[in-house]
Amino acid sequence: MNELYEPQYIEALLRRHGFTFSKSLGQNFLVEASVVERTAEHVDARCGVLEIGPGHGALTRPLAARAGKVVAVEADARLLPVLGETLAGCENVSVRLGDATKLDLRALCEAEFAGLVPCLCANLPYNVTTPVLENAARAGCFRRIVVMVQKEAAQRLLTRPGDERWGVVPALLAARYTGRILFTVGRSSFLPPPHVDSAVVAFERLAEPVVGEAEFPAYERVVRAAFAQRRKTLSNALSAAGISPDILGEVGIDPRLRGERLLPEDFLKIARRL
């Protein structure tokens, strides 16, 4: 359905269903077929794909053509009849109404993708990029994550310790994944055009994650404490979160450092002493 990328067709489709774009939901629909193809090519028939924010289905159909199964989670009930039309005939697609920032993603993948490799592939609405990726990192069940996000957000997600942009989301992802930017996407590739450019970024699960399943809750607690008040030293930041700063001396970490200087392995050392 190449018409899925034609603005006139999309506008007529949305009018038929009485749909108007919502700024608060960060709705910007893809209208560039080449961008969609380059994004979808990172999944195959072995994959069970979770898509978040399918919009009018521009990415969903190519994913369905490649993947073993696609579960698309949409927060806006007004788009369900639109997707019912554009995804007609896609027997391996299930559309769910829900908030992906609050879903138990591990439970969803276990229930939906038996025998398949769980992957996350989506054109993420800008306003949910952070909570969705935090939730995905926490779940830790995805072999591959391929998402389109704001270009600045993509750069921030790939920062490392020592960069002032190193923070909660990069640290959570780095505990389990290695990432890279695949390509950038101009604002003209969307309807309506956003005010910023985008980028598609891919995260591959590490063969040996830095943080194991059982340790992740404590690791996340330490990471959040370290970055809750970025200007504070690590000692003061941990104290403010109810964590004894004495742990730092016990694991050989300078209490005068700030969270942005710590490696995932350093956060894990602290977490193991909690």
Side-chain angles (χ1 to χ4, degrees), residues 198-215:
S198 301
V200 176
V201 60
F203 293 92
E204 299 285 344
R205 186 177 169 89
L206 295 167
E208 296 184 10
V210 176
V211 182
E213 182 68 26
E215 297 172 318

Side-chain angles (χ1 to χ4, degrees), residues 84-266:
E85 179 177 338
T86 60
L87 299 180
C90 296
E91 301 297 333
N92 62 338
V93 176
S94 171
V95 179
R96 290 189 175 194
L97 181 65
D99 182 350
T101 68
K102 299 176 181 178
L103 286 176
D104 184 334
L105 299 183
R106 177 175 286 275
L108 184 152
C109 289
E110 290 175 351
E112 296 285 352
F113 299 142
L116 295 170
V117 177
C119 298
L120 171 60
C121 188
N123 167 28
L124 287 180
Y126 292 156
N127 62 327
V128 297
T129 296
T130 292
V132 164
L133 290 179
E134 287 179 350
N135 199 7
R138 189 179 301 118
C141 56
F142 298 105
R143 181 78 58 82
R144 177 177 296 151
I145 298 172
V146 181
V147 289
M148 188 181 305
V149 298
Q150 186 176 335
K151 184 177 178 181
E152 283 188 6
Q155 294 167 339
R156 185 168 61 251
L157 292 172
L158 300 179
T159 54
R160 298 295 298 170
D163 189 311
E164 62 181 10
R165 296 171 298 177
W166 174 244
V168 172
V169 185
L172 295 183
L173 287 167
R176 288 174 162 166
Y177 295 91
T178 180
R180 61 192 175 98
I181 291 178
L182 298 178
F183 58 93
T184 58
V185 182
R187 59 198 75 184
S188 63
S189 295
F190 299 89
L191 179 73
H195 298 298
V196 295
D197 292 331
S198 301
V200 176
V201 60
F203 293 92
E204 299 285 344
R205 186 177 169 89
L206 295 167
E208 296 184 10
V210 176
V211 182
E213 182 68 26
E215 297 172 318
F216 202 86
Y219 175 85
E220 182 175 358
R221 180 188 173 195
V222 172
V223 168
R224 291 191 179 280
F227 292 110
Q229 302 180 62
R230 299 184 68 99
R231 289 187 170 275
K232 286 192 172 185
T233 63
L234 196 57
S235 177
N236 290 334
L238 295 183
S239 294
I243 300 173
S244 172
D246 293 342
I247 292 176
L248 297 172
E250 295 170 6
V251 297
I253 295 175
D254 187 343
R256 296 169 297 179
L257 292 176
R258 291 184 171 83
E260 66 191 44
R261 306 297 302 181
L262 268 62
L263 297 165
E265 291 83 356
D266 295 324

Side-chain angles (χ1 to χ4, degrees), residues 4-26:
L4 280 178
Y5 313 109
E6 297 174 2
Q8 287 185 333
Y9 170 84
I10 297 170
E11 290 168 352
L13 167 73
L14 300 181
R15 279 197 303 271
R16 282 201 302 277
H17 294 282
F19 177 86
T20 54
F21 289 99
S22 168
K23 287 186 178 181
S24 65
L25 293 177

